[in-house]
Amino acid sequence: MTAGEERGTVGLVTPEGVPLEFHLADPGERLHAFIVDSGLIVLGCVVSLLLIGARADLGVLSMLAVFFFRQCYFFTFELVWNGSTPGKRSAGIRVVSRYGGPLTVEALLARNLMRDLEIFVPLVVILHPGLFLGGGSPWLVYPAFAWVFLVAGLPLFTRDRVRAGDILGGTLVVRVPEGVLPEDPAASSGDSGFQFERRHLEIYGEKELEVLAGILRSLKEKEHLRRDLTLLAGTIARKIGYDGREPTSNPSAFLEAFYSAQRKHLEERLLFGRRKASKEDKEGETS
Amino acid sequence: MTGRPWETKPWSLGFRREREALWRQLARIVARAEKRRGRLDAGEAVRLPSLYRVVLSSLSVARAAAMDRALREYLESLAARAWLLLYCPRRRARGAFREFLLEKFPAAAKGLGFRFGLAVFFFLAGTALAWILTSTSPEWFYAFVDPSLVKGRDPWASREILEKFLYEGGGLNHALATFAGFLFTHNAQVGILAFSAGIAAGVPAAYLLFTNGLVMGSFLSVYSSKGLLLPFLGWILPHGIPEILAMLLCAAAGLEIGRALLFPGRRTRRDSLVSAGRRGAVVAAGSILLFAWAGLMEGIFRQVVTGDLFRFLAAGVNAGILALWAYNARGKAE
């Protein structure tokens, strides 16, 4: 595993050796998933108790059913659905192995056998403190009390938002990635008559290029931006010292042509190993 | 920089145009499979790996050379979704249980090594301490045994009461199944907690073993002082063999987690915890099976069969099965 570039992301290395970045599920999403799943567990318990419980001679079945739902629900779903449960599915998150490979039975057992300690024990402590506090001498009970809540609160303190089960299982809970490929703004620029020279393209860097790409992509949805484009085109033209055809005559064509030329230029520089991160980046400047 | 329009296009635009059809093909397969929770038809299963590698290689190229963040992010998420789909183990259900029982579980249990010895030590230390103290002075009994467990079997009880407790059985009835079910689920929960509470540096596991040892030692003292040691062993061993073994295994798995937390050795603490957790989880899950077996022995067999001879026979059979199981798994340690 490599560290994520920013907080809230995590880099996993695929078996092919390519690092992929995932967004970690945030506590709200995990809570959502957990509430849905616990609702289903309670429902399952209630239904099986109603079906069986009426008959005293079948009491053992209801006991086993409750045990099964409590201990096996998460494990079984995560095993069969490869890291997903109905609750996780509805929250758009899933379990992955920290080491990039497939989820193993061992990892899923470890992460789910810890649940009892993380959820039921704190719940008992909260709802019925006497059961816990009355059970031993204070020098043993108070550290245990603190420890229980430390363990239960792990997802809030740890960098990768892992709970104790994730630590022992070597797993992470990530958001299921969903990507859409937007139109390439460089594709739409035709021969608009705007020509750029090298000196025009030495000013801006990658950061400005991405901002411009964002603006050009959002143009299609936001008509009201058009008025600001004239201003933007004028500013850029001034900054790069553009002296060709009047940019404000057709600002969007100017911006598209500039974007295309700027990207081509930066990519060519990159082929020679010269990266320009932003306009402030003077490193590797060529005359 | 004059010339034909195509010359003003960035290189990455052509890169995208040449490969976009393949990317979209993979995106379609992935989207369809996600809807069906990972199932692929034959054609998709054939194309998925090669398309996945196309996208991974496109991603690597785009990262190195394309100045288009949207493109890189798209490829990254597509590769990630395909990865989630591809590295989803196709498990065969048949044979998995057998493999778990005969290979994984014993191998994991053997991997516990001296932690198992430590667990035995804590348990025996509690047993010996309580046996000695209660034998020298019966007042100690109630320091070790919770009153709810006693049911009249304290050091001041008569031999008849103690003996009656060993041989009372109601014959076969429905309540026995419920009793067995209760014993199984209760013991299994305790076993799972003994494993998972290992995250508190293994202290709860050691505490559980020691206090259970105290209870065991106290009753051993009570029964042996009245000359009922053998009947008591006949009463406890048939279920005690699998149950105490399962408890020792679960607690040893908890101690192993504590060891990984406190003394990770050469590995990082995180890696050390993962290997202890995964191994311990297999042991704890396997122990659930032992608890189920013990529940049947305690809840049904013990209540129905009241002859000492048959009880010792059953204890011997149980010990024999476990010995065969361990012998069968020799050389399979990790």
Side-chain angles (χ1 to χ4, degrees):
Chain A
M1 200 204 91
T2 57
E5 278 171 27
E6 43 188 304
R7 205 179 151 75
T9 66
V10 64
L12 299 176
V13 181
T14 69
E16 293 82 8
V18 179
L20 293 178
E21 192 154 287
F22 283 88
H23 288 272
L24 292 164
D26 63 41
E29 287 166 326
R30 294 186 72 162
L31 190 67
H32 166 180
F34 180 70
I35 289 172
V36 172
D37 284 328
S38 354
L40 287 174
I41 291 175
V42 171
L43 189 73
C45 290
V46 168
V47 168
S48 50
L49 286 184
L50 286 179
L51 287 179
I52 311 161
R55 298 187 52 189
D57 52 342
L58 291 178
V60 61
L61 287 184
S62 53
M63 207 157 4
L64 292 177
V66 170
F67 180 79
F68 176 81
F69 277 111
R70 177 170 161 190
Q71 295 294 353
C72 304
Y73 170 91
F74 284 99
F75 171 72
T76 311
F77 268 114
E78 286 175 7
L79 188 69
V80 177
W81 284 9
N82 194 31
S84 196
T85 62
K88 289 196 180 65
R89 230 173 129 74
S90 82
I93 60 179
R94 63 186 297 163
V95 184
V96 295
S97 164
R98 191 185 262 287
Y99 301 100
L103 277 173
T104 56
V105 176
E106 290 89 337
L108 292 177
L109 277 176
R111 91 181 289 279
N112 289 311
L113 286 175
M114 292 299 289
R115 263 178 216 278
D116 246 29
L117 182 78
E118 292 172 79
I119 292 146
F120 288 97
V121 174
L123 216 59
V124 169
V125 173
I126 292 168
L127 297 178
H128 202 320
L131 208 65
F132 193 77
L133 292 175
S137 51
W139 62 267
L140 196 64
V141 166
Y142 286 107
F145 196 81
W147 192 272
V148 161
F149 283 98
L150 179 72
V151 169
L154 274 178
L156 302 175
F157 321 132
T158 46
R159 192 186 157 281
D160 292 333
R161 298 187 196 133
V162 286
R163 59 179 186 82
D166 289 318
I167 293 178
L168 290 178
T171 53
L172 293 168
V173 181
V174 298
R175 214 172 283 163
V176 177
E178 45 184 309
V180 278
L181 184 55
E183 289 289 312
D184 193 329
S188 50
S189 70
D191 187 12
S192 55
F194 293 109
Q195 302 287 334
F196 297 92
E197 289 164 33
R198 190 175 188 144
R199 64 189 168 90
H200 295 143
L201 304 173
E202 292 286 350
I203 310 297
Y204 289 119
E206 263 174 77
K207 192 177 134 201
E208 292 79 23
L209 186 74
E210 290 301 344
V211 172
L212 183 57
I215 293 171
L216 290 173
R217 277 192 200 102
S218 63
L219 263 187
K220 296 203 167 52
E221 299 119 51
K222 292 175 188 153
E223 278 300 312
H224 65 270
L225 272 175
R226 294 225 171 256
R227 235 160 30 94
D228 302 332
L229 285 186
T230 319
L231 193 65
L232 181 64
T235 311
I236 289 177
R238 212 166 37 253
K239 176 89 182 169
I240 65 175
Y242 182 72
D243 44 14
R245 191 184 146 200
E246 181 54 43
T248 46
S249 63
N250 187 354
S252 71
F254 171 80
L255 289 174
E256 277 169 356
F258 174 68
Y259 171 77
S260 190
Q262 180 74 73
R263 193 166 112 194
K264 176 176 159 67
H265 180 67
L266 288 175
E267 282 176 357
E268 279 165 1
R269 279 176 57 115
L270 193 58
L271 283 184
F272 295 101
R274 294 202 305 270
R275 188 176 272 275
K276 189 173 168 71
S278 73
K279 62 186 177 190
E280 284 87 20
D281 184 4
K282 304 287 184 205
E283 198 128 319
E285 197 124 285
T286 49
S287 56
Chain B
M1 211 178 239
T2 54
R4 285 157 295 170
W6 59 265
E7 279 187 341
T8 69
K9 293 294 184 191
W11 162 86
S12 54
L13 184 66
F15 168 78
R16 171 173 164 173
R17 281 191 178 142
E18 283 163 21
R19 290 162 183 79
E20 195 170 336
L22 289 172
W23 303 341
R24 297 217 181 263
Q25 226 179 337
L26 180 65
R28 267 196 305 279
I29 292 178
V30 169
R32 272 163 58 84
E34 279 171 355
K35 279 211 188 73
R36 290 174 298 174
R37 292 185 208 103
R39 253 172 306 164
L40 298 159
D41 65 36
E44 291 168 344
V46 169
R47 276 179 302 155
L48 179 68
S50 59
L51 287 173
Y52 165 70
R53 290 197 176 98
V54 166
V55 167
L56 270 191
S57 108
S58 299
L59 173 64
S60 300
V61 173
R63 271 181 184 154
M67 291 267 166
D68 184 357
R69 189 163 56 203
L71 177 70
R72 292 195 302 266
E73 281 172 359
Y74 170 76
L75 288 174
E76 177 132 26
S77 76
L78 182 57
R81 286 162 73 198
W83 171 75
L84 287 171
L85 196 63
L86 198 63
Y87 286 96
C88 152
R90 312 277 153 192
R91 295 186 183 87
R92 44 203 172 81
R94 205 190 306 170
F97 179 73
R98 195 188 143 84
E99 187 200 27
F100 179 85
L101 193 66
L102 295 183
E103 283 170 33
K104 280 189 175 165
F105 178 27
K110 276 187 182 175
L112 290 173
F114 76 91
R115 266 73 66 187
F116 184 75
L118 204 60
V120 173
F121 169 77
F122 283 126
F123 182 69
L124 289 185
T127 311
L129 185 73
W131 195 342
I132 293 166
L133 287 179
T134 312
S135 300
T136 48
S137 132
E139 283 73 35
W140 278 103
F141 183 82
Y142 280 101
F144 301 141
V145 185
D146 191 86
S148 67
L149 288 175
V150 176
K151 294 174 189 144
R153 297 171 291 168
D154 63 15
W156 300 274
S158 68
R159 193 175 193 276
E160 287 65 45
I161 289 178
L162 291 176
E163 196 163 22
K164 182 170 163 279
F165 195 87
L166 295 184
Y167 297 110
E168 69 182 358
L172 208 52
N173 62 48
H174 292 304
L176 290 185
T178 312
F179 184 45
F182 166 76
L183 290 168
F184 159 59
T185 53
H186 173 264
N187 292 339
Q189 300 284 12
V190 172
I192 290 169
L193 273 181
F195 155 72
S196 56
I199 195 81
V203 175
Y207 178 78
L208 177 89
L209 287 167
F210 189 69
T211 50
N212 270 295
L214 290 177
V215 174
M216 175 65 92
S218 305
F219 280 119
L220 279 170
S221 149
V222 169
Y223 276 91
S224 65
S225 70
K226 298 287 192 307
L228 287 168
L229 186 59
L230 272 185
F232 179 71
L233 288 178
W235 180 80
I236 202 163
L237 281 182
H239 72 274
I241 286 171
E243 186 179 313
I244 293 173
L245 177 68
M247 187 189 68
L248 288 170
L249 283 173
C250 284
L255 290 175
E256 162 84 337
I257 293 175
R259 199 270 314 156
L261 184 72
L262 296 177
F263 313 110
R266 273 190 209 175
R267 286 185 291 179
T268 64
R269 183 161 278 120
R270 199 180 63 196
D271 286 348
S272 166
L273 277 171
V274 170
S275 88
R278 290 184 175 177
R279 175 190 295 151
V282 171
V283 171
S287 300
I288 293 175
L289 300 172
L290 293 179
F291 280 124
W293 178 11
L296 287 176
M297 293 306 293
E298 184 175 7
I300 298 174
F301 175 83
R302 191 183 73 188
Q303 310 300 314
V304 177
V305 180
T306 50
D308 280 345
L309 182 65
F310 289 106
R311 283 178 170 179
F312 276 106
L313 212 59
V317 168
N318 286 355
I321 292 172
L322 285 172
L324 270 180
W325 170 75
Y327 178 74
N328 177 60
R330 73 197 179 283
K332 283 182 185 149
E334 296 155 84

